[in-house]
Amino acid sequence: MDYAPMVTLEGVDGSQFALSAIGSTGNIWLNKGAKGLDMPVFDVQVDRFPRLAGSVPRSARGADREIFLPLTIWGESRPEAVATKRRLMRALPPTRMWQRMAKLVVAEVSASGALEAHREIEVYYGGGLEGDEGTENGLNWMKFGLVLQTIDPYFRAQSDIRVPFASYGLTRDFFPPEGESFVSKDGLSGGFKLSPSPTFTPAITVNNAGDEPVYPTWTFVGPTAGPFNLVRGATAYSDEEILSVRSLTLAAGQSATLVTEPGRVELTTSAGASAVWSSLAVNPRFWALDPGPNEVSIVDLSTEPASVSITFRPKYLGM
């Protein structure tokens, strides 16, 4: 049996429009012919030389994409259909200073019929809310070819993934086996059990389930002191990468957050002030987590911190 994906449009005002498939109930239907929901176009810059065959690549990036959604709005009366169209119009323009954009949320259906994890992409109105209208079977309809523009070409997971640098000991069942008393009589046998607390480990495996490299956010909780290196081992896509931290010093209970995503790079502390960039090496090389497993480690750490974690959000080429 074929299963249609779930597609929802979330407006800048918090409104939600379930773009239902033809044959289901609802006042907006997504018709066949949607475009721009799969792999984005890549902008590759090359140099060409008169006496050299082919070209020399300089850079490559995913270009912003255009999404086309053929929609039909239904209403028991024309005023009802117009009201739905006006709600849709208010939901699409980005808010002032790009503080909020609409989102297209999609979820494919697995072979078992269950919905997969939702993916979302930020969009804004690009045109198309001018179309035909008429009546059919006592209902009023309006047809549009809605064009949405994006800034980020990639779909993203709806929530961040946080991976701590921690190892966990033997996990024990809290409740005692059947036949044993809930409270130990001698303090040694029987009774409920507690698993040991996780302990800091300097090396972990981070799995990026997406299709694209992502730049992580680091969170450190003191006490700790530099210098040390943040290392991502070689992957199927790239060689080993090292980010050197020179002098980041945190007292017990203090924390620091390092955002490495291009355009958002920031190093802040719990005191509320930006840490001096001399804490990092000159011209720091911020590396990304490649798709699949990544071996990540903290090398040459002199003081074991209370905790360290990596946070990231997977990116996907399409829905």
Side-chain angles (χ1 to χ4, degrees):
M1 179 181 293
D2 292 332
Y3 296 97
M6 189 205 74
V7 182
T8 303
L9 184 64
E10 296 185 359
V12 296
D13 56 355
S15 58
Q16 292 193 343
F17 301 86
L19 306 183
S20 308
I22 291 179
S24 62
T25 59
N27 54 4
I28 299 185
W29 290 353
L30 175 60
N31 304 312
K32 292 183 178 180
K35 298 179 180 179
L37 296 175
D38 291 301
M39 194 162 182
V41 175
F42 284 83
D43 178 18
V44 180
Q45 299 294 322
V46 300
D47 290 336
R48 295 179 175 86
F49 301 95
R51 304 183 68 177
L52 183 66
S55 56
V56 178
R58 292 300 182 188
S59 65
R61 67 179 185 90
D64 47 325
R65 71 168 79 198
E66 181 177 276
I67 296 175
F68 173 76
L69 301 178
L71 301 179
T72 300
I73 293 178
W74 295 88
E76 294 186 1
S77 64
R78 187 176 185 279
E80 182 178 324
V82 170
T84 300
K85 181 186 72 171
R86 288 174 175 172
R87 285 198 303 115
L88 183 61
M89 292 169 60
R90 288 193 297 268
L92 294 176
T95 58
R96 183 171 58 90
M97 300 298 292
W98 301 94
Q99 292 179 357
R100 180 177 296 181
M101 297 174 63
K103 293 180 181 179
L104 196 64
V105 182
V106 299
E108 284 284 7
V109 182
S110 66
S112 65
L115 283 175
E116 296 177 346
H118 293 69
R119 303 178 182 184
E120 65 182 27
I121 189 169
E122 290 188 323
V123 296
Y124 63 94
Y125 178 67
L129 279 183
E130 309 89 11
D132 196 10
E133 63 177 279
T135 59
E136 182 179 334
N137 298 326
L139 295 175
N140 288 259
W141 55 263
M142 298 178 176
K143 292 186 177 181
F144 306 101
L146 178 61
V147 177
L148 301 173
Q149 302 288 349
T150 71
I151 295 177
D152 186 340
Y154 302 110
F155 283 83
R156 291 179 180 258
Q158 283 197 299
S159 58
D160 292 337
I161 295 177
R162 178 181 176 273
V163 184
F165 282 75
S167 60
Y168 298 82
L170 178 64
T171 302
R172 302 176 177 178
D173 293 331
F174 179 76
F175 293 104
E178 186 177 356
E180 292 187 14
S181 59
F182 183 74
V183 178
S184 175
K185 295 181 180 180
D186 55 10
L188 299 174
S189 60
F192 63 87
K193 299 176 176 63
L194 296 177
S195 299
S197 298
T199 58
F200 173 77
T201 181
I204 59 174
T205 299
V206 181
N207 184 51
N208 175 9
D211 305 319
E212 280 289 305
V214 290
Y215 289 85
T217 294
W218 291 79
T219 302
F220 307 89
V221 178
T224 191
F228 52 85
N229 293 318
L230 308 177
V231 181
R232 194 221 61 205
T235 69
Y237 298 87
S238 58
D239 297 331
E240 180 183 83
E241 296 278 5
I242 299 175
L243 173 60
S244 296
V245 180
R246 283 181 161 183
S247 58
L248 182 63
T249 301
L250 300 172
Q254 290 184 329
S255 63
T257 300
L258 173 61
V259 181
T260 64
E261 184 176 350
R264 297 181 53 229
V265 173
E266 184 180 33
L267 177 60
T268 57
T269 69
S270 56
S274 294
V276 291
W277 281 105
S278 60
S279 297
L280 303 178
V282 177
N283 295 324
R285 184 180 180 90
F286 297 113
W287 47 257
L289 298 168
D290 284 332
N294 295 258
E295 302 299 326
V296 183
S297 57
I298 307 175
V299 180
D300 302 324
L301 190 63
S302 59
T303 304
E304 181 178 303
S307 71
V308 180
S309 62
I310 275 183
T311 305
F312 65 98
R313 184 170 298 197
K315 298 192 295 186
Y316 304 94
L317 292 171
M319 60 178 291

